Amino acid sequence: MAKPSFSCSACGASFTKWSGRCEGCGEWNTISQDAGLSVGPAKTSLGARRGRAVTLTDLASDETPPPRACSGIDELDRVLGGGLVPASAILVGGDPGIGKSTLLLQAVAAFARKGLKTLYVSGEEASAQVRMRARRLGLADAPVQLAAETNLRDILTTLEAEKPGLVIIDSIQTMWADNVDSAPGSVSQVRASAHELTTFAKRTGISVIMVGHVTKEGQIAGPRVVEHMVDTVLYFEGERGHQFRILRSVKNRFGAADEIGVFEMTGAGLSEVTNPSALFLSERGAPSPGSVVFAGIEGTRPVLVELQALVAPSPHSQPRRTVVGWDGGRLAMILAVLEARCGIPFAGLDVYLNVAGGLKISEPAADLAVAAALLSAREDRALPADTVIFGEISLSGALRPASQTENRLKEAQKLGFTSAIAPAGGKTGTLEGLAMTRPTDLVGFVGEFFGAG
Ligand code: TYD
Ligand code: MG
């Protein structure tokens, strides 16, 4: 049973029992019993006990926001929303071995060279190993302080004393809070450590970047449990066999989500790719059936990328549908629309779809490009050379204009494309040197480029 609580209506003082005169202000008959602060069983509810009233302010204020720190690595600064915000907590997730430690070592060195006081805490590698890597990357002279430690209490104590501007925790799965009774890497340890680090960042003004390994199987204890706590969630993606790496913001309280930074893994670390379209299209050969160029938007930037499809008679009773870099459910939808609205069946055919270069596409504007690649592969007929294509397909078979049509077309012009296929509607801007085809529905598009189907 929760204890009743009493308070004075004149001065607000609270008491555990009623009396006729308030000891706080001396007024008579001002004390009454409080209604509970929350209802429910005493064990689980807040009960009757009052807290302190917090100070309230309004939205208008004349404080200028503290300046963001820039690393000078443009691809990173842009993904952060224009630099590092003081007191922010950032999670960088990715598969083991994809290059997270390399990226963050380069980033921390860049910030340090710009004058930010930085600390790199490695829970996975010995200091000597980190130093060796730094030397190989040509970063040995950067004024970065290094620690190999996993005990969270010791790390926070050190941070309190050192007061750096930025600290890297590599990785959150190796951190160990001694008040939590489970092994490092377990959900409760990861959650507790991330919570402590995040609140510490807010309280002290230190920016914290945490590395989180994504585990392929179910992502248990992976960065997912941390995502809601931090300000910014970045994922470092890429195919192991490819040299391209993409840093993508999936959540950002200080900038646009879905922004990407493109890097290339070289023998001397990660180097920036300032023109990703040129890179993604660099391996494209002569126009061939099944290959189309999609004009996409990643974050604020247009990116041209090649989609490849292969359609072949299936030896299996259940034909295969294999997708790399796009959504399998969305592929099933496009196949269904092609069959239902255009009468082009894919039953008995294996379908493979691949986004070249290891990019992962999630925009619906890729629908039309995918449909074109599938038809081109099925009919063994290439689309006209130097053509980009984009647009969203609805279940009715109608085509919808994509967002930022103008930016997509501009990028195509810049890279020397001479024609574009995009749904009618949407602002196009000047189209010098670009021949446009503007179908309104999928049937019209199929009729124009692949005969009646
Ligand atoms: P790493 O940063 O250790 O990955 P993570 O921290 O995400 O687990 O990078 C591992 C891979 O990167 C490793 O297989 C080798 C490659 N690599 C290079 O190709 N060039 C380099 O300069 C460095 C440092 C690493
Ligand atoms: Mg690592």
Side-chain angles (χ1 to χ4, degrees):
M1 183 53 203
K3 284 205 185 103
S5 122
F6 298 84
S7 63
C8 168
S9 60
C11 69
S14 64
F15 305 96
T16 51
K17 61 183 197 326
W18 187 86
S19 64
R21 181 167 187 255
C22 174
E23 285 169 24
C25 61
E27 287 288 321
W28 288 91
N29 275 335
T30 53
I31 292 179
S32 59
Q33 184 172 350
D34 297 326
L37 199 59
S38 71
V39 292
K43 266 205 180 127
T44 54
S45 83
L46 283 174
R49 198 166 60 79
R50 305 274 122 175
R52 239 176 332 121
V54 296
T55 324
L56 303 174
T57 57
D58 53 27
L59 291 173
S61 82
D62 22 271
E63 301 162 40
T64 44
R68 292 173 183 246
C70 285
S71 64
I73 303 175
D74 291 341
E75 296 292 303
L76 173 68
D77 292 339
R78 197 185 49 254
V79 173
L80 287 172
L84 183 70
V85 175
S88 59
I90 297 164
L91 173 74
V92 177
D95 292 338
I98 204 72
K100 299 181 295 299
S101 301
T102 309
L103 174 73
L104 290 174
L105 189 61
Q106 289 183 244
V108 81
F111 278 116
R113 282 180 175 155
K114 292 267 174 180
L116 198 68
K117 184 169 179 187
T118 56
L119 197 65
Y120 186 102
V121 181
S122 179
E124 297 188 342
E125 292 163 282
S127 299
Q129 278 174 296
V130 180
R131 235 178 274 128
M132 208 162 70
R133 179 184 306 197
R135 203 172 320 129
R136 203 151 69 77
L137 299 177
L139 305 171
D141 61 323
V144 177
Q145 288 183 295
L146 208 57
E149 184 54 67
T150 58
N151 185 322
L152 192 66
R153 193 179 296 278
D154 295 348
I155 291 170
L156 293 183
T157 309
T158 313
L159 291 180
E160 213 148 39
E162 292 288 328
K163 296 196 177 51
L166 169 67
V167 59
I168 311 281
I169 303 289
D170 188 2
S171 66
I172 192 68
Q173 271 102 347
T174 56
M175 290 299 122
W176 176 69
D178 54 20
N179 60 328
V180 178
D181 234 2
S182 57
S186 63
V187 177
S188 36
Q189 278 288 359
V190 167
R191 198 184 286 141
S193 306
H195 176 74
E196 287 295 341
L197 284 163
T198 307
T199 46
F200 186 81
K202 302 283 149 206
R203 195 155 49 81
T204 56
I206 297 173
S207 300
V208 177
I209 301 183
M210 295 172 257
V211 173
H213 293 292
V214 176
T215 45
K216 279 261 158 63
E217 317 76 40
Q219 315 211 323
I220 300 299
R224 284 289 141 92
V225 297
V226 178
E227 281 185 358
H228 67 278
M229 296 178 200
V230 296
D231 299 309
T232 302
V233 178
L234 309 179
Y235 274 91
F236 204 40
E237 318 167 331
E239 299 291 323
R240 281 288 188 90
H242 284 291
Q243 72 273 38
F244 315 133
R245 298 284 182 271
I246 290 151
L247 185 68
R248 182 189 297 274
S249 70
V250 295
K251 163 183 170 179
N252 195 351
R253 287 184 183 147
F254 311 117
D258 266 329
E259 192 66 76
I260 65 165
V262 185
F263 296 88
E264 196 175 350
M265 185 59 100
T266 68
L270 292 155
S271 63
E272 294 183 76
V273 174
T274 43
N275 189 344
S277 300
L279 181 81
F280 288 129
L281 296 179
S282 62
E283 286 163 13
R284 197 170 53 111
S288 64
S291 153
V292 303
V293 176
F294 166 55
I297 297 278
E298 295 290 338
T300 54
R301 208 162 41 157
V303 174
L304 303 190
V305 58
E306 182 190 0
L307 304 186
Q308 304 161 340
L310 179 65
V311 175
S314 178
H316 313 286
S317 57
Q318 184 97 28
R320 295 188 72 119
R321 305 283 184 250
T322 304
V323 195
V324 177
W326 207 51
D327 178 36
R330 198 96 195 162
L331 174 69
M333 193 193 98
I334 303 292
L335 292 173
V337 174
L338 282 171
E339 175 147 13
R341 306 296 174 196
C342 308
I344 303 171
F346 281 82
L349 297 171
D350 284 339
V351 175
Y352 302 89
L353 182 76
N354 178 38
V355 179
L359 189 68
K360 287 194 180 72
I361 297 177
S362 56
E363 338 173 54
D367 291 353
L368 189 58
V370 169
L374 294 172
L375 288 168
S376 163
R378 188 182 185 278
E379 306 297 317
D380 201 24
R381 210 184 302 175
L383 275 191
D386 293 328
T387 301
V388 297
I389 179 165
F390 58 91
E392 189 178 339
I393 300 176
S394 70
L395 287 177
S396 67
L399 299 182
R400 293 200 203 111
S403 61
Q404 304 198 42
T405 297
E406 188 174 354
N407 279 345
R408 296 172 202 260
L409 295 175
K410 262 203 204 122
E411 179 80 357
Q413 278 172 312
K414 204 168 87 188
L415 282 143
F417 284 81
T418 52
S419 63
I421 306 168
K427 205 167 134 242
T428 59
T430 53
L431 292 170
E432 221 170 292
L434 204 61
M436 291 288 295
T437 309
R438 320 214 60 184
T440 53
D441 59 16
L442 197 56
V443 176
F445 167 74
V446 172
E448 181 154 358
F449 289 95
F450 299 99

